[in-house]
Amino acid sequence: MKRIIAVANQKGGVGKTTTNINLATCLAQAGKSVLVCDMDPQGNTTSGLGVDKHTLEKSIYTLLLGESYLEEVALKIEGIDGLFLLPANIDLAGAEIEMLDLASREFRLRDVLSHAKYLYDYILIDCPPSLNILTLNALCAADSVLVPIQCEYYALEGLTQLMHTINLVHGKLNPRLALEGVVFTMYDARTNLSAQVVDEVKSHLADHTYQTIIPRNVRLSEAPSHGLPITLYAPQSKGAEAYEQLAREVMAKNFLADEPQKELL
Ligand code: ADP
Ligand code: MG
């Protein structure tokens, strides 16, 4: 079954990009074909996968504006069979304004991916840290939303707003959209706080939390500066182990689901 998953949370620094890069890589290493869409003008997914964002001529920006074809933009990631990237850079920041003039501007990404979704087992979309038109495009293109939550103070701040947005998009723009699940990130087993955050979120969203918890792991924060996913940078690390387990959980869940999980919201 084909899945398009948007990794979203309007808070910055919660592990969206780290989850995107490493979940996508682990899915590809498990034999799936995977396309990663970088919808953040910061282009951290792009550089984190070893692609130089400063020299891009074609990117997700030119794709959204209808100036390129997907086949021209998609880059094969070296060293990871089956992994492809639609890269982004700061040009994408202009898209929000330039797209204002375009018809059905919230559906540009959906339309761009309309054929690609038959070519890949999974498409993962990295969202920017806001609920803007780029995030809206991601939510309109996706089957489900995966929400990374950092096990820190204020983790729940903004979660209600995000759920409200997801519900709104589900009701008005994309009836396929479901909540894929919450993933806890940067869990620190030494602090009570991490455990408290997990308990609190579970008390609200028990059925929608992944069992896999991503620990705070320094290797995960080092890997992007080498342009490598964790499984290539530090394959024996706790971080690599956690994202491999998350990929298995995502695959198992999607294997069990015969239908997009509409009722979940
Ligand atoms: P977002 O995309 O939500 O802004 P990032 O994935 O870029 O968040 O993560 C924010 C920062 O935290 C980055 O410097 C990243 O390397 C680091 N980071 C993310 N996950 C972990 C983790 N599990 N352990 C340690 N550092 C992490
Ligand atoms: Mg990011």
Side-chain angles (χ1 to χ4, degrees):
M1 144 163 217
K2 316 279 180 180
R3 297 294 281 180
I4 305 181
I5 302 174
V7 179
N9 186 334
Q10 75 273 30
K11 277 178 80 100
V14 299
K16 286 182 291 298
T17 299
T18 304
T19 298
N20 218 299
I21 290 172
N22 293 304
L23 176 58
T25 302
C26 291
L27 289 168
Q29 288 175 327
K32 303 293 177 188
S33 56
V34 184
L35 178 67
V36 179
C37 309
D38 193 351
M39 282 292 272
D40 187 346
Q42 292 180 70
N44 292 342
T45 290
T46 301
S47 51
L49 283 169
V51 172
D52 183 357
K53 58 190 175 190
H54 303 292
T55 56
L56 296 173
E57 280 182 17
K58 294 175 176 165
S59 66
I60 204 155
Y61 166 74
T62 55
L63 193 58
L64 290 171
L65 293 185
E67 295 167 5
S68 311
Y69 296 107
L70 187 125
E71 295 73 20
E72 303 174 298
V73 177
L75 300 173
K76 191 183 177 320
I77 299 302
E78 267 175 55
I80 306 150
D81 283 345
L83 185 61
F84 296 82
L85 168 72
L86 297 177
N89 60 19
I90 195 69
D91 291 347
L92 186 58
E96 190 163 7
I97 292 169
E98 286 163 61
M99 279 160 67
L100 285 177
D101 291 337
L102 299 178
S104 56
R105 58 180 178 269
E106 54 281 73
F107 296 118
R108 304 297 292 191
L109 184 63
R110 181 194 71 181
D111 295 347
V112 159
L113 296 178
S114 59
H115 292 296
K117 68 181 178 200
Y118 300 107
L119 303 176
Y120 299 94
D121 296 315
Y122 288 92
I123 299 179
L124 265 56
I125 310 170
D126 193 23
C127 292
S130 65
L131 295 173
N132 60 11
I133 187 76
L134 297 172
T135 300
L136 197 56
N137 263 270
L139 296 179
C140 287
D143 299 313
S144 63
V145 195
L146 190 150
V147 182
I149 292 191
Q150 187 186 0
C151 297
E152 277 297 337
Y153 279 119
Y154 310 122
L156 299 179
E157 204 178 63
L159 198 58
T160 314
Q161 198 190 356
L162 177 61
M163 293 304 159
H164 178 68
T165 304
I166 294 171
N167 272 316
L168 215 63
V169 173
H170 172 77
K172 302 226 187 274
L173 297 169
N174 178 8
R176 283 174 307 128
L177 190 68
L179 183 62
E180 176 77 23
V182 163
V183 176
F184 297 102
T185 63
M186 299 181 233
Y187 186 90
D188 187 343
R190 295 165 306 178
T191 69
N192 286 334
L193 179 64
S194 278
Q196 280 166 15
V197 169
V198 170
D199 285 349
E200 183 157 6
V201 173
K202 280 189 171 168
S203 72
H204 295 290
L205 291 166
D207 300 338
H208 303 297
T209 52
Y210 278 96
Q211 279 172 16
T212 307
I213 293 181
I214 310 298
R216 185 173 280 286
N217 177 245
V218 71
R219 296 292 188 199
L220 280 170
S221 58
E222 292 166 357
S225 61
H226 300 266
L228 291 171
I230 190 67
T231 44
L232 294 189
Y233 175 67
Q236 309 299 330
S237 64
K238 293 271 181 223
E241 208 175 279
Y243 276 109
E244 280 164 351
Q245 192 186 328
L246 181 64
R248 282 194 292 273
E249 205 181 337
V250 167
M251 287 186 290
K253 188 173 167 190
N254 286 304
F255 183 72
L256 289 174
D258 291 323
E259 300 249 309
Q261 302 145 27
K262 275 190 203 133
E263 307 74 30
L264 290 187
L265 271 177

